[in-house]
Amino acid sequence: MTTVNDGVRAEEILIASIADMLDGLSHIAVGASSPVPGAAAMLARARHPDRTRVSVLGSEDNNFFTDGGKELFDCAGQGRIDAFFLGGAQIDGQANINLVSVGNPDKPKVRFPGSFGSSYMYFTVPRVILFRLEHTPRTLVEKVDFISAPGTSEPNIYRPGGPYALITDRCLFHFDREKGRFSLASVHPGHTVEEIREQTGFDYDELAAVPETRLPDAKTLETIRGPVAAQIAEIYPGFAAEVFGIEKAA
Amino acid sequence: MDAIRLDLDGLAARVSDGAKIALPPDYSYCAMALVRAIIARNVRDLHLVGVPALGFQADQLIGAGCVGTVETAAVTLGEFGLAPRFSASIKAAGIRMLDATCPAIHAGLQASEKGVPFMPLRGVIGSDVEKRRDDWVIGQNPFAENDPILMVKAIQPDFAVFHAPLADRFGNVWVGVRRELMLMAHAAKSSLVTAEKIVDGNLLDDPVRAAGTIPGLYVGAIAEAEQGAWPLGIPGGYDADQDELARYVDMARTEDGFAAYMAGTKAVAAE
C-alpha cells in the first residue's frame, strides 16, 4: 500500500477506522498474522487504557492467558470477548468466509493455511470485523468455494456473534444480520463509489451519498506512530519496519 | 520413579509408521531437533494433529514424505507465508486432509483427557469444515429444546511430541503457561519430550514451578536437546533464527530445494 493523503499512509487510515469500531469495548482479541487489526486494537486500548484489554495470539507482551491455546476460545464461548478479526481468501455477499481453498477442496487450485478458529469465533464473538487488503472480484465473490464460517445461521442455531463490518483497502462495508447483506458505509480517500462497484464480486446496498472515510486526526496519528508502532513491533517486526520504519526493541 | 532417558534417535525410534502424533504450533515449544530425527528414520504414514495449528514441523515432515494424514485448524509459517511442502502436497492430493477449527481440536483432546467419547462445542454448524468431517456429529442439547450443538469425537494421539525449557530426572516437564502442551500430554497415550536441560532435582518440590509442570506420569521418555527448538525459538528463552527460517522457506519452494535443505541441515547437525 502507498501513501495517500497529506502524508497519511493507507494503513494508518485503516488502523484508525477499525479503532473507531472498537471504541470503549472491554476485551478485543486479535488472531495470528493480523498487524493492521492488531495496531487498531492497540490504538483502541491507548484511548481507554483503564477499560480496554487486548489479547494478541502469538504475542508475549500482549497476551495474559495462562491456560494455553484453548483459553482464547473458552473466553469467547463465555462471552468474555467483544471483538475479533477474521479475513478470508474469499468473502461473499452473505459474509461467508473461505480460508481453505479455491476450486474443489479435494484437489484445490490454491490451498491456504486453513480455517483457524473462524468456524467458532464467528458464532461466539459479538463484533467480528472482516479485514481484507485485496479488494477485487477475485477475493470479494458472489459465492465462496469453501465455507470456513457462515455469515448467517438458521434462527435455532445458538449465535450471539457474527459479522459486523468488512474493511478493505478501498472501503468500509457494514453488515446487516437481518438482511444478510453488506451496505457500503464509506469510501477511503483516493477511491470512488463506481470503482468499488466494479471491483466487488457481490451485490450490496448503497446509500445515495456515500461519505469518504475520514483521515485520522493529529492526536490519533501521534498515538499510532508512537506507542502503537512500538507495541506492534514486538509481534510483527516485518510490518513495523515496513510501515513505521522501526526495528524490534532488544 | 526415574524417567526413561534416551538420546534424540532413541526418542525418534519410538515413533512407528502410522502413529498419530500431536504437535504444537510454532509459537509454543516445538521439538524441531526431534522432528529432524524422526525424518531421518524415514517414518511413513504419520497422522499429524495440530494443536491447534501446525507450522515448520509439519511442513518438513510432509516434505520428507513421512505424513499420511493432517488433522489441523491450519498449516502456516506465520510472517513467512504459506507452507510450501504442505501446499504442494495438498494440490497433488498426496495427503489426507482433515480440516478442523482450533477449539474443536482442543475439545477433542479434552474429551480424551477426561476419558469421555466426545465433547460438545458451540459454533461450527453450517460450515464446510463441519460438513466434511464424518467424525463430528450435530446432536441436540439435552437440557434445552431445539438447540442443535456440535459433538466432536475424542482425539487420542499415540504421542504428544514437544520441547520444553526444563525437565527433571523423574520426567517432570516444565512448560509454564504453554498449557496446550499439558493438554496434549494428558490426551495422548504417551509423550516424547525434549528439553533444553534435564536437572537432577524434582521440579514439583517448588510450588511456584509445580503449577506449570507436566508430571512424569504422562511422559514416556525424555531426551536432553540444547537448542532443541532451533530454528524456531522458545518463548522466554531464545528467539527464532529468522535467517535460517527464511532460507528454509526459499529452498522448500521446490522438491529438490527442500531435499537439499534437509540434507544440509543434517550435515550441520552431525558436526
Side-chain angles (χ1 to χ4, degrees):
Chain A
M1 295 176 84
T2 49
T3 299
V4 282
N5 262 338
D6 300 332
V8 180
R9 292 186 64 115
E11 288 91 345
E12 294 171 325
I13 297 175
L14 294 174
I15 290 166
S17 298
I18 296 170
D20 288 345
M21 294 189 273
L22 304 172
D23 197 50
L25 297 180
S26 313
H27 191 175
I28 303 158
V30 185
S33 312
S34 313
V36 168
M42 285 166 188
L43 174 57
R45 179 177 61 187
R47 286 169 168 171
H48 300 287
D50 297 329
R51 201 189 317 168
T52 301
R53 288 180 201 271
V54 174
S55 299
V56 183
L57 211 68
S59 163
E60 284 176 50
D61 297 347
N62 293 277
N63 187 327
F64 40 78
F65 292 130
T66 57
D67 201 16
K70 76 183 183 64
E71 191 175 0
L72 167 75
F73 304 103
D74 290 348
C75 258
Q78 293 180 304
R80 291 181 196 267
I81 292 175
D82 303 304
F84 191 66
F85 303 91
L86 291 172
Q90 294 175 325
I91 298 170
D92 72 22
Q94 288 78 52
N96 298 311
I97 63 172
N98 172 9
L99 292 156
V100 167
S101 56
V102 172
N104 172 3
D106 291 319
K107 209 158 189 285
K109 279 187 270 188
V110 190
R111 168 74 206 199
F112 302 104
S115 300
F116 290 98
S118 66
S119 328
Y120 174 83
M121 298 297 270
Y122 219 19
F123 287 75
T124 50
V125 178
R127 198 171 288 198
V128 176
I129 296 169
L130 301 174
F131 175 76
R132 190 64 173 96
L133 279 185
E134 185 194 328
H135 183 151
T136 65
R138 195 177 74 104
T139 55
L140 303 190
V141 299
E142 196 177 345
K143 203 84 206 141
V144 294
D145 290 355
F146 183 102
I147 300 178
S148 287
T152 58
S153 298
E154 294 299 316
N156 65 334
I157 302 296
Y158 174 85
R159 186 159 193 177
Y164 180 81
L166 161 62
I167 188 160
T168 74
D169 51 333
R170 300 183 199 271
C171 71
L172 172 70
F173 293 104
H174 287 156
F175 189 71
D176 184 323
R177 288 184 201 171
E178 294 297 314
K179 285 159 76 178
R181 274 174 75 83
F182 286 105
S183 67
L184 185 58
S186 73
V187 175
H188 303 336
H191 301 278
T192 67
V193 167
E194 295 73 31
E195 163 205 329
I196 284 155
R197 186 64 69 180
E198 205 169 275
Q199 294 295 327
T200 307
F202 57 73
D203 192 28
Y204 54 87
D205 295 332
E206 186 181 309
L207 293 172
V210 180
E212 187 173 85
T213 309
R214 69 185 173 86
L215 291 176
D217 59 28
K219 181 153 185 266
T220 298
L221 275 179
E222 196 184 313
T223 310
I224 293 174
R225 290 169 185 176
V228 168
Q231 289 160 14
I232 209 74
E234 178 250 332
I235 316 162
Y236 306 110
F239 174 82
E242 189 200 321
V243 176
F244 302 114
I246 57 170
E247 300 300 328
K248 183 176 177 174
Chain B
M1 198 189 299
D2 280 2
I4 296 173
R5 286 176 70 161
L6 303 168
D7 59 9
L8 282 174
D9 292 336
L11 272 193
R14 297 204 159 201
V15 179
S16 49
D17 288 359
K20 184 185 281 196
I21 63 173
L23 298 170
D26 287 347
Y27 58 75
S28 189
Y29 299 141
C30 293
M32 288 294 286
L34 177 54
V35 163
R36 287 191 293 275
I38 292 170
I39 289 171
R41 288 192 59 251
N42 277 317
V43 175
R44 287 293 176 263
D45 202 29
L46 294 176
H47 178 141
L48 306 185
V49 179
V51 185
L54 294 164
F56 284 92
Q57 303 177 96
D59 203 56
Q60 295 189 355
L61 285 163
I62 292 167
C66 301
V67 178
T69 300
V70 177
E71 178 176 5
T72 187
V75 182
T76 173
L77 303 185
E79 278 205 308
F80 293 100
L82 298 175
R85 297 334 296 156
F86 165 70
S87 301
S89 188
I90 285 281
K91 275 188 239 172
I95 44 174
R96 185 168 73 112
M97 185 66 200
L98 298 175
D99 269 291
T101 183
C102 304
I105 300 263
H106 296 133
L109 293 171
Q110 284 176 286
S112 265
E113 184 178 48
K114 294 180 200 315
V116 297
F118 65 89
M119 185 66 64
L121 183 73
R122 285 300 189 189
V124 195
I125 294 173
S127 66
D128 285 332
V129 181
E130 171 246 312
K131 288 178 182 149
R132 292 168 59 84
R133 291 295 298 258
D134 52 19
D135 52 349
W136 295 358
V137 173
I138 296 171
Q140 175 62 39
N141 173 2
F143 302 101
E145 277 186 37
N146 192 18
D147 181 16
I149 187 163
L150 180 74
M151 299 185 193
V152 177
K153 191 179 177 189
I155 302 170
Q156 187 178 41
D158 293 307
F159 297 105
V161 173
F162 56 92
H163 187 60
L166 191 64
D168 67 22
R169 70 186 177 91
F170 307 105
N172 301 313
V173 178
W174 184 82
V175 296
V177 298
R178 296 276 36 123
R179 292 180 74 91
E180 59 276 348
L181 303 173
M182 184 89 73
L183 172 62
M184 282 163 54
H186 289 174
K189 291 175 191 164
S190 183
S191 295
L192 303 174
V193 182
T194 60
E196 290 290 314
K197 193 172 165 54
I198 299 174
V199 296
D200 256 348
N202 189 332
L203 296 178
L204 297 178
D205 286 345
D206 174 0
V208 173
R209 197 137 59 187
T213 299
I214 300 170
L217 155 70
Y218 301 98
V219 178
I222 55 172
E224 197 166 72
E226 209 180 318
Q227 297 281 309
W230 178 87
L232 293 171
I234 57 172
Y238 44 88
D239 285 339
D241 182 342
Q242 301 290 333
D243 293 343
E244 180 67 15
L245 295 177
R247 194 171 75 82
Y248 171 76
V249 174
D250 185 47
M251 290 184 75
R253 280 181 300 181
T254 65
E255 212 171 322
D256 290 347
F258 171 80
Y261 175 88
M262 294 308 288
T265 307
K266 200 170 158 187
V268 170
E271 278 169 16

mmCIF file of all heavy atoms in Angstrom, chain A residues 45 47-53:
data_model
loop_
_atom_site.group_PDB
_atom_site.id
_atom_site.type_symbol
_atom_site.label_atom_id
_atom_site.label_comp_id
_atom_site.label_asym_id
_atom_site.label_seq_id
_atom_site.Cartn_x
_atom_site.Cartn_y
_atom_site.Cartn_z
ATOM 1 N N ARG A 45 -7.034 0.566 22.793
ATOM 2 C CA ARG A 45 -6.603 0.436 24.189
ATOM 3 C C ARG A 45 -5.919 1.707 24.686
ATOM 4 O O ARG A 45 -6.119 2.133 25.821
ATOM 5 C CB ARG A 45 -5.653 -0.755 24.325
ATOM 6 C CG ARG A 45 -5.136 -0.965 25.746
ATOM 7 C CD ARG A 45 -4.260 -2.198 25.844
ATOM 8 N NE ARG A 45 -3.085 -2.101 24.982
ATOM 9 C CZ ARG A 45 -2.233 -3.100 24.775
ATOM 10 N NH1 ARG A 45 -2.433 -4.260 25.351
ATOM 11 N NH2 ARG A 45 -1.197 -2.937 23.990
ATOM 12 N N ARG A 47 -6.596 4.621 23.846
ATOM 13 C CA ARG A 47 -7.624 5.638 24.098
ATOM 14 C C ARG A 47 -8.359 5.389 25.420
ATOM 15 O O ARG A 47 -8.876 6.315 26.033
ATOM 16 C CB ARG A 47 -8.627 5.650 22.947
ATOM 17 C CG ARG A 47 -8.059 6.291 21.684
ATOM 18 C CD ARG A 47 -8.970 6.036 20.502
ATOM 19 N NE ARG A 47 -8.585 6.862 19.363
ATOM 20 C CZ ARG A 47 -9.119 6.709 18.147
ATOM 21 N NH1 ARG A 47 -10.049 5.793 17.932
ATOM 22 N NH2 ARG A 47 -8.730 7.483 17.164
ATOM 23 N N HIS A 48 -8.489 4.109 25.812
ATOM 24 C CA HIS A 48 -9.195 3.767 27.061
ATOM 25 C C HIS A 48 -8.369 2.752 27.844
ATOM 26 O O HIS A 48 -8.776 1.601 28.003
ATOM 27 C CB HIS A 48 -10.575 3.169 26.753
ATOM 28 C CG HIS A 48 -11.476 4.074 26.001
ATOM 29 N ND1 HIS A 48 -12.077 5.175 26.561
ATOM 30 C CD2 HIS A 48 -11.877 4.050 24.700
ATOM 31 C CE1 HIS A 48 -12.818 5.787 25.643
ATOM 32 N NE2 HIS A 48 -12.708 5.130 24.503
ATOM 33 N N PRO A 49 -7.212 3.171 28.348
ATOM 34 C CA PRO A 49 -6.304 2.201 28.986
ATOM 35 C C PRO A 49 -6.902 1.536 30.223
ATOM 36 O O PRO A 49 -6.482 0.450 30.596
ATOM 37 C CB PRO A 49 -5.071 3.035 29.343
ATOM 38 C CG PRO A 49 -5.497 4.453 29.255
ATOM 39 C CD PRO A 49 -6.648 4.527 28.320
ATOM 40 N N ASP A 50 -7.894 2.168 30.851
ATOM 41 C CA ASP A 50 -8.460 1.573 32.067
ATOM 42 C C ASP A 50 -9.661 0.681 31.774
ATOM 43 O O ASP A 50 -10.216 0.055 32.668
ATOM 44 C CB ASP A 50 -8.891 2.681 33.049
ATOM 45 C CG ASP A 50 -7.695 3.488 33.508
ATOM 46 O OD1 ASP A 50 -6.591 2.909 33.576
ATOM 47 O OD2 ASP A 50 -7.857 4.700 33.748
ATOM 48 N N ARG A 51 -10.113 0.675 30.527
ATOM 49 C CA ARG A 51 -11.326 -0.071 30.214
ATOM 50 C C ARG A 51 -11.073 -1.212 29.232
ATOM 51 O O ARG A 51 -11.758 -2.223 29.250
ATOM 52 C CB ARG A 51 -12.352 0.901 29.600
ATOM 53 C CG ARG A 51 -13.766 0.385 29.716
ATOM 54 C CD ARG A 51 -14.773 1.207 28.921
ATOM 55 N NE ARG A 51 -14.573 2.650 29.045
ATOM 56 C CZ ARG A 51 -15.187 3.538 28.261
ATOM 57 N NH1 ARG A 51 -16.021 3.134 27.316
ATOM 58 N NH2 ARG A 51 -14.967 4.816 28.405
ATOM 59 N N THR A 52 -10.098 -1.027 28.328
ATOM 60 C CA THR A 52 -9.954 -1.956 27.206
ATOM 61 C C THR A 52 -8.750 -2.877 27.381
ATOM 62 O O THR A 52 -7.629 -2.415 27.582
ATOM 63 C CB THR A 52 -9.809 -1.154 25.894
ATOM 64 O OG1 THR A 52 -10.975 -0.339 25.734
ATOM 65 C CG2 THR A 52 -9.687 -2.084 24.695
ATOM 66 N N ARG A 53 -9.002 -4.178 27.296
ATOM 67 C CA ARG A 53 -7.917 -5.162 27.267
ATOM 68 C C ARG A 53 -7.745 -5.653 25.839
ATOM 69 O O ARG A 53 -8.731 -5.769 25.101
ATOM 70 C CB ARG A 53 -8.268 -6.393 28.105
ATOM 71 C CG ARG A 53 -8.265 -6.205 29.584
ATOM 72 C CD ARG A 53 -8.648 -7.540 30.230
ATOM 73 N NE ARG A 53 -9.132 -7.351 31.583
ATOM 74 C CZ ARG A 53 -8.355 -7.350 32.657
ATOM 75 N NH1 ARG A 53 -7.061 -7.535 32.541
ATOM 76 N NH2 ARG A 53 -8.867 -7.178 33.852
#
